[in-house]
């Protein structure tokens, strides 16, 4: 396959992607605001389609992508690409799992600290002219038990960061956990039920699959400590939001920090009305470093595929 290929970039991506591909002789069309209608008209002209989160590549678009050899997602999850339809057409689908690893893990640490010390509330109250020091008796992360559900790229990175804060790490995954990593972070391996019962903080790092949809439901929440806090930076559908809302509202759960929601944008989500819930608008991978790393990874993968290396 020659590198003389046409590329359509459908979403806003770090300029490094454009630069590397151009330097290697690829022809770039950059349309970060392209509509679905325009995409349907043009998609047949391109060898490579690149998206981030805004554009969804559906089966009907793939049907029209007659020249397409690669669909690339400058990110981790492939929820916005019909991977089965692509596979049926022999189109390679690639992503950049490495990009978001540290960014998401750092966000989780930030969210845990925000809950432990009520940082968002403290800031809000000062802006409203209130000095509520006496109400803000916090707790520390050191010595607390962090339950990590899903020890893939992000889960492992989080474990290492949390360990450096002297948290105790409990881990659960459906696949065997690397013993070297387990030793390094002093991992307490547990089944899901034990993890949920024991942890002070529970952080989800699983993909959204039929098996993980609503894996945190009313029954499982009822087994958690009443003071436990849940952090979700994976995918919204992994938690039953109604059950989470009821548990926190009734005082049966300590709180939650959510970066992902069942419906996004989540403006108007009732969870955001609860005082002990912190919400962020799906910013896990939204750092300059993560975007640049993901763009680099995708550019290198495309070139390697075109050169027949991978
Ligand atoms: P990964 O594939 O490296 O790890 C996922 C892990 O979950 C794997 O080890 C897998 O075995 C495990 N798993 C699957 N089903 C499970 C189950 N039922 N119970 C326990 N473990 C299970 O993925 P990753 O790169 O670490 O990403 C994790 C999640 O983070 C994904 O949902 C991804 O879409 C999401 N993500 C969110 C953001 C954001 O902006 N908030 C950014 C990047 C990734």
């Amino acid at each position: 396959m020659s590198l003389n290929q046409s590329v359509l970039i459908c979403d806003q991506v770090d300029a490094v992607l454009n630069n590397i591909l151009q330097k290697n002789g690829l022809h770039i069309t950059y349309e970060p605001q392209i509509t679905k209608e325009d995409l349907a008209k043009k998609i047949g002209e391109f060898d490579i389609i690149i998206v981030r989160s805004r554009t969804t590549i559906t089966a009907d678009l793939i049907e029209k992508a007659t020249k397409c050899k690669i669909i690339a997602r400058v990110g981790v999850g492939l929820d916005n690409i019909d991977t089965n339809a692509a596979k049926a057409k022999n189109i390679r689908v690639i992503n950049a799992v490495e990009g978001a690893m540290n960014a998401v893990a750092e966000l989780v640490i930030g969210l845990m600290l925000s809950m432990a010390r009520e940082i968002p509330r403290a800031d809000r109250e000062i802006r409203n002219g209130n000095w509520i020091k006496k109400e803000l008796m916090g707790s520390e992360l050191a010595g607390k038990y962090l339950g990590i559900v899903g020890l893939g790229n992000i889960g492992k990175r989080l474990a290492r960061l949390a360990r450096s804060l002297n948290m105790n790490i409990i881990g659960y995954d459906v696949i065997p956990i690397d013993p070297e990593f387990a030793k390094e972070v002093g991992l307490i391996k547990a089944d899901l039920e034990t993890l949920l019962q024991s942890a002070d903080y529970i952080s989800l790092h699983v993909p959204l699959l039929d098996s993980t949809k609503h894996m945190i439901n009313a029954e499982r929440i009822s087994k958690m400590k009443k003071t436990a806090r849940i952090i979700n930076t994976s995918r919204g559908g992994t938690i039953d939001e109604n059950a989470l809302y009821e548990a926190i509202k009734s005082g049966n759960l300590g709180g939650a920090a959510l970066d992902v929601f069942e419906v996004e944008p989540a403006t108007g989500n009732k969870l955001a009305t609860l005082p002990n819930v912190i919400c962020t608008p799906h910013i896990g991978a939204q750092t300059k470093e993560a975007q640049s790393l993901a763009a680099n990874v995708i550019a290198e993968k495309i070139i390697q595929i075109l050169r027949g290396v991978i």
Side-chain angles (χ1 to χ4, degrees), residues 139-163:
S139 59
E140 296 177 22
L141 297 186
K144 299 292 184 305
Y145 285 79
L146 167 63
I148 303 180
V149 182
L151 283 159
N153 289 301
I154 299 171
K156 281 205 197 88
R157 179 71 188 139
L158 172 63
R160 291 185 167 109
L161 293 181
R163 191 66 203 132

mmCIF file with all atom_site columns, all heavy atoms in Angstrom, residues 139-163:
data_model
loop_
_atom_site.group_PDB
_atom_site.id
_atom_site.type_symbol
_atom_site.label_atom_id
_atom_site.label_alt_id
_atom_site.label_comp_id
_atom_site.label_asym_id
_atom_site.label_entity_id
_atom_site.label_seq_id
_atom_site.pdbx_PDB_ins_code
_atom_site.Cartn_x
_atom_site.Cartn_y
_atom_site.Cartn_z
_atom_site.occupancy
_atom_site.B_iso_or_equiv
_atom_site.pdbx_formal_charge
_atom_site.auth_seq_id
_atom_site.auth_comp_id
_atom_site.auth_asym_id
_atom_site.auth_atom_id
_atom_site.pdbx_PDB_model_num
ATOM 1   N N   . SER A 1 139 ? -11.452 14.292 55.109 1.00 0.00 ? 139 SER A N   1
ATOM 2   C CA  . SER A 1 139 ? -10.741 13.060 55.455 1.00 0.00 ? 139 SER A CA  1
ATOM 3   C C   . SER A 1 139 ? -9.595  12.913 54.468 1.00 0.00 ? 139 SER A C   1
ATOM 4   O O   . SER A 1 139 ? -9.550  13.619 53.461 1.00 0.00 ? 139 SER A O   1
ATOM 5   C CB  . SER A 1 139 ? -11.690 11.858 55.364 1.00 0.00 ? 139 SER A CB  1
ATOM 6   O OG  . SER A 1 139 ? -12.197 11.760 54.052 1.00 0.00 ? 139 SER A OG  1
ATOM 7   N N   . GLU A 1 140 ? -8.664  12.002 54.802 1.00 0.00 ? 140 GLU A N   1
ATOM 8   C CA  . GLU A 1 140 ? -7.475  11.834 53.951 1.00 0.00 ? 140 GLU A CA  1
ATOM 9   C C   . GLU A 1 140 ? -7.586  10.564 53.124 1.00 0.00 ? 140 GLU A C   1
ATOM 10  O O   . GLU A 1 140 ? -8.268  9.614  53.515 1.00 0.00 ? 140 GLU A O   1
ATOM 11  C CB  . GLU A 1 140 ? -6.221  11.825 54.831 1.00 0.00 ? 140 GLU A CB  1
ATOM 12  C CG  . GLU A 1 140 ? -6.056  13.170 55.516 1.00 0.00 ? 140 GLU A CG  1
ATOM 13  C CD  . GLU A 1 140 ? -4.875  13.250 56.465 1.00 0.00 ? 140 GLU A CD  1
ATOM 14  O OE1 . GLU A 1 140 ? -3.932  12.446 56.320 1.00 0.00 ? 140 GLU A OE1 1
ATOM 15  O OE2 . GLU A 1 140 ? -4.902  14.134 57.340 1.00 0.00 ? 140 GLU A OE2 1
ATOM 16  N N   . LEU A 1 141 ? -6.902  10.537 52.000 1.00 0.00 ? 141 LEU A N   1
ATOM 17  C CA  . LEU A 1 141 ? -6.923  9.335  51.160 1.00 0.00 ? 141 LEU A CA  1
ATOM 18  C C   . LEU A 1 141 ? -5.974  8.266  51.708 1.00 0.00 ? 141 LEU A C   1
ATOM 19  O O   . LEU A 1 141 ? -6.242  7.073  51.581 1.00 0.00 ? 141 LEU A O   1
ATOM 20  C CB  . LEU A 1 141 ? -6.527  9.673  49.715 1.00 0.00 ? 141 LEU A CB  1
ATOM 21  C CG  . LEU A 1 141 ? -7.453  10.634 48.950 1.00 0.00 ? 141 LEU A CG  1
ATOM 22  C CD1 . LEU A 1 141 ? -7.003  10.748 47.489 1.00 0.00 ? 141 LEU A CD1 1
ATOM 23  C CD2 . LEU A 1 141 ? -8.908  10.188 49.003 1.00 0.00 ? 141 LEU A CD2 1
ATOM 24  N N   . ALA A 1 142 ? -4.868  8.708  52.327 1.00 0.00 ? 142 ALA A N   1
ATOM 25  C CA  . ALA A 1 142 ? -3.887  7.758  52.853 1.00 0.00 ? 142 ALA A CA  1
ATOM 26  C C   . ALA A 1 142 ? -4.578  6.771  53.797 1.00 0.00 ? 142 ALA A C   1
ATOM 27  O O   . ALA A 1 142 ? -5.360  7.176  54.659 1.00 0.00 ? 142 ALA A O   1
ATOM 28  C CB  . ALA A 1 142 ? -2.786  8.513  53.585 1.00 0.00 ? 142 ALA A CB  1
ATOM 29  N N   . GLY A 1 143 ? -4.284  5.493  53.581 1.00 0.00 ? 143 GLY A N   1
ATOM 30  C CA  . GLY A 1 143 ? -4.839  4.456  54.459 1.00 0.00 ? 143 GLY A CA  1
ATOM 31  C C   . GLY A 1 143 ? -6.225  3.973  54.049 1.00 0.00 ? 143 GLY A C   1
ATOM 32  O O   . GLY A 1 143 ? -6.703  2.952  54.542 1.00 0.00 ? 143 GLY A O   1
ATOM 33  N N   . LYS A 1 144 ? -6.889  4.683  53.130 1.00 0.00 ? 144 LYS A N   1
ATOM 34  C CA  . LYS A 1 144 ? -8.228  4.251  52.702 1.00 0.00 ? 144 LYS A CA  1
ATOM 35  C C   . LYS A 1 144 ? -8.105  3.128  51.669 1.00 0.00 ? 144 LYS A C   1
ATOM 36  O O   . LYS A 1 144 ? -7.069  2.966  51.024 1.00 0.00 ? 144 LYS A O   1
ATOM 37  C CB  . LYS A 1 144 ? -9.014  5.419  52.098 1.00 0.00 ? 144 LYS A CB  1
ATOM 38  C CG  . LYS A 1 144 ? -9.241  6.572  53.051 1.00 0.00 ? 144 LYS A CG  1
ATOM 39  C CD  . LYS A 1 144 ? -10.176 6.211  54.184 1.00 0.00 ? 144 LYS A CD  1
ATOM 40  C CE  . LYS A 1 144 ? -10.473 7.388  55.089 1.00 0.00 ? 144 LYS A CE  1
ATOM 41  N NZ  . LYS A 1 144 ? -9.293  8.043  55.658 1.00 0.00 ? 144 LYS A NZ  1
ATOM 42  N N   . TYR A 1 145 ? -9.181  2.369  51.515 1.00 0.00 ? 145 TYR A N   1
ATOM 43  C CA  . TYR A 1 145 ? -9.206  1.262  50.561 1.00 0.00 ? 145 TYR A CA  1
ATOM 44  C C   . TYR A 1 145 ? -9.848  1.719  49.253 1.00 0.00 ? 145 TYR A C   1
ATOM 45  O O   . TYR A 1 145 ? -11.001 2.152  49.258 1.00 0.00 ? 145 TYR A O   1
ATOM 46  C CB  . TYR A 1 145 ? -9.963  0.075  51.163 1.00 0.00 ? 145 TYR A CB  1
ATOM 47  C CG  . TYR A 1 145 ? -9.122  -0.641 52.201 1.00 0.00 ? 145 TYR A CG  1
ATOM 48  C CD1 . TYR A 1 145 ? -8.999  -0.123 53.494 1.00 0.00 ? 145 TYR A CD1 1
ATOM 49  C CD2 . TYR A 1 145 ? -8.415  -1.792 51.872 1.00 0.00 ? 145 TYR A CD2 1
ATOM 50  C CE1 . TYR A 1 145 ? -8.192  -0.742 54.437 1.00 0.00 ? 145 TYR A CE1 1
ATOM 51  C CE2 . TYR A 1 145 ? -7.606  -2.417 52.814 1.00 0.00 ? 145 TYR A CE2 1
ATOM 52  C CZ  . TYR A 1 145 ? -7.498  -1.896 54.096 1.00 0.00 ? 145 TYR A CZ  1
ATOM 53  O OH  . TYR A 1 145 ? -6.698  -2.512 55.015 1.00 0.00 ? 145 TYR A OH  1
ATOM 54  N N   . LEU A 1 146 ? -9.060  1.631  48.176 1.00 0.00 ? 146 LEU A N   1
ATOM 55  C CA  . LEU A 1 146 ? -9.577  1.987  46.851 1.00 0.00 ? 146 LEU A CA  1
ATOM 56  C C   . LEU A 1 146 ? -9.850  0.701  46.079 1.00 0.00 ? 146 LEU A C   1
ATOM 57  O O   . LEU A 1 146 ? -8.927  -0.082 45.826 1.00 0.00 ? 146 LEU A O   1
ATOM 58  C CB  . LEU A 1 146 ? -8.541  2.846  46.091 1.00 0.00 ? 146 LEU A CB  1
ATOM 59  C CG  . LEU A 1 146 ? -8.786  3.033  44.589 1.00 0.00 ? 146 LEU A CG  1
ATOM 60  C CD1 . LEU A 1 146 ? -10.104 3.771  44.315 1.00 0.00 ? 146 LEU A CD1 1
ATOM 61  C CD2 . LEU A 1 146 ? -7.622  3.789  43.934 1.00 0.00 ? 146 LEU A CD2 1
ATOM 62  N N   . GLY A 1 147 ? -11.100 0.485  45.708 1.00 0.00 ? 147 GLY A N   1
ATOM 63  C CA  . GLY A 1 147 ? -11.469 -0.689 44.909 1.00 0.00 ? 147 GLY A CA  1
ATOM 64  C C   . GLY A 1 147 ? -11.480 -0.310 43.432 1.00 0.00 ? 147 GLY A C   1
ATOM 65  O O   . GLY A 1 147 ? -12.231 0.592  43.043 1.00 0.00 ? 147 GLY A O   1
ATOM 66  N N   . ILE A 1 148 ? -10.641 -0.977 42.650 1.00 0.00 ? 148 ILE A N   1
ATOM 67  C CA  . ILE A 1 148 ? -10.574 -0.667 41.216 1.00 0.00 ? 148 ILE A CA  1
ATOM 68  C C   . ILE A 1 148 ? -11.211 -1.819 40.441 1.00 0.00 ? 148 ILE A C   1
ATOM 69  O O   . ILE A 1 148 ? -10.756 -2.965 40.521 1.00 0.00 ? 148 ILE A O   1
ATOM 70  C CB  . ILE A 1 148 ? -9.115  -0.447 40.749 1.00 0.00 ? 148 ILE A CB  1
ATOM 71  C CG1 . ILE A 1 148 ? -8.463  0.684  41.567 1.00 0.00 ? 148 ILE A CG1 1
ATOM 72  C CG2 . ILE A 1 148 ? -9.078  -0.119 39.257 1.00 0.00 ? 148 ILE A CG2 1
ATOM 73  C CD1 . ILE A 1 148 ? -7.015  0.996  41.187 1.00 0.00 ? 148 ILE A CD1 1
ATOM 74  N N   . VAL A 1 149 ? -12.278 -1.501 39.709 1.00 0.00 ? 149 VAL A N   1
ATOM 75  C CA  . VAL A 1 149 ? -12.978 -2.517 38.918 1.00 0.00 ? 149 VAL A CA  1
ATOM 76  C C   . VAL A 1 149 ? -12.504 -2.382 37.472 1.00 0.00 ? 149 VAL A C   1
ATOM 77  O O   . VAL A 1 149 ? -12.796 -1.384 36.817 1.00 0.00 ? 149 VAL A O   1
ATOM 78  C CB  . VAL A 1 149 ? -14.513 -2.324 39.019 1.00 0.00 ? 149 VAL A CB  1
ATOM 79  C CG1 . VAL A 1 149 ? -15.237 -3.418 38.237 1.00 0.00 ? 149 VAL A CG1 1
ATOM 80  C CG2 . VAL A 1 149 ? -14.961 -2.301 40.478 1.00 0.00 ? 149 VAL A CG2 1
ATOM 81  N N   . GLY A 1 150 ? -11.737 -3.359 37.015 1.00 0.00 ? 150 GLY A N   1
ATOM 82  C CA  . GLY A 1 150 ? -11.151 -3.297 35.666 1.00 0.00 ? 150 GLY A CA  1
ATOM 83  C C   . GLY A 1 150 ? -9.724  -2.796 35.743 1.00 0.00 ? 150 GLY A C   1
ATOM 84  O O   . GLY A 1 150 ? -9.482  -1.600 35.869 1.00 0.00 ? 150 GLY A O   1
ATOM 85  N N   . LEU A 1 151 ? -8.774  -3.752 35.685 1.00 0.00 ? 151 LEU A N   1
ATOM 86  C CA  . LEU A 1 151 ? -7.359  -3.370 35.810 1.00 0.00 ? 151 LEU A CA  1
ATOM 87  C C   . LEU A 1 151 ? -6.666  -3.442 34.457 1.00 0.00 ? 151 LEU A C   1
ATOM 88  O O   . LEU A 1 151 ? -5.688  -4.171 34.271 1.00 0.00 ? 151 LEU A O   1
ATOM 89  C CB  . LEU A 1 151 ? -6.667  -4.246 36.848 1.00 0.00 ? 151 LEU A CB  1
ATOM 90  C CG  . LEU A 1 151 ? -7.006  -3.835 38.284 1.00 0.00 ? 151 LEU A CG  1
ATOM 91  C CD1 . LEU A 1 151 ? -6.761  -4.974 39.246 1.00 0.00 ? 151 LEU A CD1 1
ATOM 92  C CD2 . LEU A 1 151 ? -6.234  -2.604 38.716 1.00 0.00 ? 151 LEU A CD2 1
ATOM 93  N N   . GLY A 1 152 ? -7.181  -2.658 33.510 1.00 0.00 ? 152 GLY A N   1
ATOM 94  C CA  . GLY A 1 152 ? -6.528  -2.518 32.204 1.00 0.00 ? 152 GLY A CA  1
ATOM 95  C C   . GLY A 1 152 ? -5.562  -1.345 32.276 1.00 0.00 ? 152 GLY A C   1
ATOM 96  O O   . GLY A 1 152 ? -4.974  -1.058 33.325 1.00 0.00 ? 152 GLY A O   1
ATOM 97  N N   . ASN A 1 153 ? -5.426  -0.642 31.157 1.00 0.00 ? 153 ASN A N   1
ATOM 98  C CA  . ASN A 1 153 ? -4.458  0.464  31.082 1.00 0.00 ? 153 ASN A CA  1
ATOM 99  C C   . ASN A 1 153 ? -4.713  1.517  32.164 1.00 0.00 ? 153 ASN A C   1
ATOM 100 O O   . ASN A 1 153 ? -3.804  1.895  32.905 1.00 0.00 ? 153 ASN A O   1
ATOM 101 C CB  . ASN A 1 153 ? -4.550  1.139  29.708 1.00 0.00 ? 153 ASN A CB  1
ATOM 102 C CG  . ASN A 1 153 ? -3.988  0.257  28.622 1.00 0.00 ? 153 ASN A CG  1
ATOM 103 O OD1 . ASN A 1 153 ? -2.831  -0.125 28.665 1.00 0.00 ? 153 ASN A OD1 1
ATOM 104 N ND2 . ASN A 1 153 ? -4.817  -0.094 27.659 1.00 0.00 ? 153 ASN A ND2 1
ATOM 105 N N   . ILE A 1 154 ? -5.947  2.000  32.234 1.00 0.00 ? 154 ILE A N   1
ATOM 106 C CA  . ILE A 1 154 ? -6.240  3.104  33.154 1.00 0.00 ? 154 ILE A CA  1
ATOM 107 C C   . ILE A 1 154 ? -6.287  2.609  34.601 1.00 0.00 ? 154 ILE A C   1
ATOM 108 O O   . ILE A 1 154 ? -5.738  3.249  35.503 1.00 0.00 ? 154 ILE A O   1
ATOM 109 C CB  . ILE A 1 154 ? -7.559  3.809  32.755 1.00 0.00 ? 154 ILE A CB  1
ATOM 110 C CG1 . ILE A 1 154 ? -7.423  4.406  31.337 1.00 0.00 ? 154 ILE A CG1 1
ATOM 111 C CG2 . ILE A 1 154 ? -7.928  4.899  33.764 1.00 0.00 ? 154 ILE A CG2 1
ATOM 112 C CD1 . ILE A 1 154 ? -8.701  4.930  30.725 1.00 0.00 ? 154 ILE A CD1 1
ATOM 113 N N   . GLY A 1 155 ? -6.931  1.466  34.821 1.00 0.00 ? 155 GLY A N   1
ATOM 114 C CA  . GLY A 1 155 ? -7.021  0.916  36.172 1.00 0.00 ? 155 GLY A CA  1
ATOM 115 C C   . GLY A 1 155 ? -5.642  0.713  36.787 1.00 0.00 ? 155 GLY A C   1
ATOM 116 O O   . GLY A 1 155 ? -5.410  1.039  37.957 1.00 0.00 ? 155 GLY A O   1
ATOM 117 N N   . LYS A 1 156 ? -4.713  0.199  35.987 1.00 0.00 ? 156 LYS A N   1
ATOM 118 C CA  . LYS A 1 156 ? -3.353  -0.047 36.497 1.00 0.00 ? 156 LYS A CA  1
ATOM 119 C C   . LYS A 1 156 ? -2.638  1.273  36.814 1.00 0.00 ? 156 LYS A C   1
ATOM 120 O O   . LYS A 1 156 ? -1.972  1.402  37.833 1.00 0.00 ? 156 LYS A O   1
ATOM 121 C CB  . LYS A 1 156 ? -2.528  -0.811 35.462 1.00 0.00 ? 156 LYS A CB  1
ATOM 122 C CG  . LYS A 1 156 ? -2.803  -2.290 35.396 1.00 0.00 ? 156 LYS A CG  1
ATOM 123 C CD  . LYS A 1 156 ? -1.556  -2.991 34.840 1.00 0.00 ? 156 LYS A CD  1
ATOM 124 C CE  . LYS A 1 156 ? -1.853  -4.375 34.371 1.00 0.00 ? 156 LYS A CE  1
ATOM 125 N NZ  . LYS A 1 156 ? -2.291  -4.445 32.987 1.00 0.00 ? 156 LYS A NZ  1
ATOM 126 N N   . ARG A 1 157 ? -2.780  2.230  35.918 1.00 0.00 ? 157 ARG A N   1
ATOM 127 C CA  . ARG A 1 157 ? -2.122  3.534  36.146 1.00 0.00 ? 157 ARG A CA  1
ATOM 128 C C   . ARG A 1 157 ? -2.680  4.170  37.434 1.00 0.00 ? 157 ARG A C   1
ATOM 129 O O   . ARG A 1 157 ? -1.926  4.709  38.249 1.00 0.00 ? 157 ARG A O   1
ATOM 130 C CB  . ARG A 1 157 ? -2.366  4.449  34.941 1.00 0.00 ? 157 ARG A CB  1
ATOM 131 C CG  . ARG A 1 157 ? -1.752  5.819  35.070 1.00 0.00 ? 157 ARG A CG  1
ATOM 132 C CD  . ARG A 1 157 ? -0.229  5.772  34.963 1.00 0.00 ? 157 ARG A CD  1
ATOM 133 N NE  . ARG A 1 157 ? 0.361   7.059  35.270 1.00 0.00 ? 157 ARG A NE  1
ATOM 134 C CZ  . ARG A 1 157 ? 1.459   7.243  35.981 1.00 0.00 ? 157 ARG A CZ  1
ATOM 135 N NH1 . ARG A 1 157 ? 2.129   6.212  36.460 1.00 0.00 ? 157 ARG A NH1 1
ATOM 136 N NH2 . ARG A 1 157 ? 1.921   8.439  36.204 1.00 0.00 ? 157 ARG A NH2 1
ATOM 137 N N   . LEU A 1 158 ? -4.000  4.069  37.607 1.00 0.00 ? 158 LEU A N   1
ATOM 138 C CA  . LEU A 1 158 ? -4.615  4.617  38.821 1.00 0.00 ? 158 LEU A CA  1
ATOM 139 C C   . LEU A 1 158 ? -4.066  3.919  40.055 1.00 0.00 ? 158 LEU A C   1
ATOM 140 O O   . LEU A 1 158 ? -3.752  4.565  41.069 1.00 0.00 ? 158 LEU A O   1
ATOM 141 C CB  . LEU A 1 158 ? -6.145  4.458  38.757 1.00 0.00 ? 158 LEU A CB  1
ATOM 142 C CG  . LEU A 1 158 ? -6.876  4.809  40.051 1.00 0.00 ? 158 LEU A CG  1
ATOM 143 C CD1 . LEU A 1 158 ? -6.674  6.280  40.418 1.00 0.00 ? 158 LEU A CD1 1
ATOM 144 C CD2 . LEU A 1 158 ? -8.365  4.493  39.938 1.00 0.00 ? 158 LEU A CD2 1
ATOM 145 N N   . ALA A 1 159 ? -3.945  2.598  39.979 1.00 0.00 ? 159 ALA A N   1
ATOM 146 C CA  . ALA A 1 159 ? -3.437  1.842  41.136 1.00 0.00 ? 159 ALA A CA  1
ATOM 147 C C   . ALA A 1 159 ? -2.065  2.366  41.537 1.00 0.00 ? 159 ALA A C   1
ATOM 148 O O   . ALA A 1 159 ? -1.776  2.561  42.724 1.00 0.00 ? 159 ALA A O   1
ATOM 149 C CB  . ALA A 1 159 ? -3.358  0.356  40.789 1.00 0.00 ? 159 ALA A CB  1
ATOM 150 N N   . ARG A 1 160 ? -1.212  2.618  40.541 1.00 0.00 ? 160 ARG A N   1
ATOM 151 C CA  . ARG A 1 160 ? 0.154   3.089  40.848 1.00 0.00 ? 160 ARG A CA  1
ATOM 152 C C   . ARG A 1 160 ? 0.110   4.482  41.480 1.00 0.00 ? 160 ARG A C   1
ATOM 153 O O   . ARG A 1 160 ? 0.810   4.748  42.464 1.00 0.00 ? 160 ARG A O   1
ATOM 154 C CB  . ARG A 1 160 ? 0.999   3.102  39.574 1.00 0.00 ? 160 ARG A CB  1
ATOM 155 C CG  . ARG A 1 160 ? 1.284   1.689  39.070 1.00 0.00 ? 160 ARG A CG  1
ATOM 156 C CD  . ARG A 1 160 ? 2.233   1.681  37.881 1.00 0.00 ? 160 ARG A CD  1
ATOM 157 N NE  . ARG A 1 160 ? 2.710   0.329  37.632 1.00 0.00 ? 160 ARG A NE  1
ATOM 158 C CZ  . ARG A 1 160 ? 2.358   -0.420 36.582 1.00 0.00 ? 160 ARG A CZ  1
ATOM 159 N NH1 . ARG A 1 160 ? 1.529   0.043  35.672 1.00 0.00 ? 160 ARG A NH1 1
ATOM 160 N NH2 . ARG A 1 160 ? 2.839   -1.640 36.458 1.00 0.00 ? 160 ARG A NH2 1
ATOM 161 N N   . LEU A 1 161 ? -0.724  5.372  40.928 1.00 0.00 ? 161 LEU A N   1
ATOM 162 C CA  . LEU A 1 161 ? -0.807  6.731  41.492 1.00 0.00 ? 161 LEU A CA  1
ATOM 163 C C   . LEU A 1 161 ? -1.376  6.689  42.919 1.00 0.00 ? 161 LEU A C   1
ATOM 164 O O   . LEU A 1 161 ? -0.873  7.369  43.822 1.00 0.00 ? 161 LEU A O   1
ATOM 165 C CB  . LEU A 1 161 ? -1.701  7.632  40.613 1.00 0.00 ? 161 LEU A CB  1
ATOM 166 C CG  . LEU A 1 161 ? -1.189  7.982  39.211 1.00 0.00 ? 161 LEU A CG  1
ATOM 167 C CD1 . LEU A 1 161 ? -2.187  8.890  38.493 1.00 0.00 ? 161 LEU A CD1 1
ATOM 168 C CD2 . LEU A 1 161 ? 0.173   8.660  39.274 1.00 0.00 ? 161 LEU A CD2 1
ATOM 169 N N   . ALA A 1 162 ? -2.423  5.888  43.103 1.00 0.00 ? 162 ALA A N   1
ATOM 170 C CA  . ALA A 1 162 ? -3.076  5.833  44.418 1.00 0.00 ? 162 ALA A CA  1
ATOM 171 C C   . ALA A 1 162 ? -2.157  5.204  45.457 1.00 0.00 ? 162 ALA A C   1
ATOM 172 O O   . ALA A 1 162 ? -2.160  5.593  46.630 1.00 0.00 ? 162 ALA A O   1
ATOM 173 C CB  . ALA A 1 162 ? -4.385  5.051  44.315 1.00 0.00 ? 162 ALA A CB  1
ATOM 174 N N   . ARG A 1 163 ? -1.351  4.255  45.004 1.00 0.00 ? 163 ARG A N   1
ATOM 175 C CA  . ARG A 1 163 ? -0.398  3.618  45.918 1.00 0.00 ? 163 ARG A CA  1
ATOM 176 C C   . ARG A 1 163 ? 0.603   4.656  46.428 1.00 0.00 ? 163 ARG A C   1
ATOM 177 O O   . ARG A 1 163 ? 1.015   4.640  47.588 1.00 0.00 ? 163 ARG A O   1
ATOM 178 C CB  . ARG A 1 163 ? 0.317   2.487  45.160 1.00 0.00 ? 163 ARG A CB  1
ATOM 179 C CG  . ARG A 1 163 ? 1.126   1.592  46.030 1.00 0.00 ? 163 ARG A CG  1
ATOM 180 C CD  . ARG A 1 163 ? 0.263   0.788  46.985 1.00 0.00 ? 163 ARG A CD  1
ATOM 181 N NE  . ARG A 1 163 ? 1.051   0.370  48.139 1.00 0.00 ? 163 ARG A NE  1
ATOM 182 C CZ  . ARG A 1 163 ? 0.681   0.496  49.402 1.00 0.00 ? 163 ARG A CZ  1
ATOM 183 N NH1 . ARG A 1 163 ? -0.491  1.006  49.705 1.00 0.00 ? 163 ARG A NH1 1
ATOM 184 N NH2 . ARG A 1 163 ? 1.457   0.083  50.370 1.00 0.00 ? 163 ARG A NH2 1
#
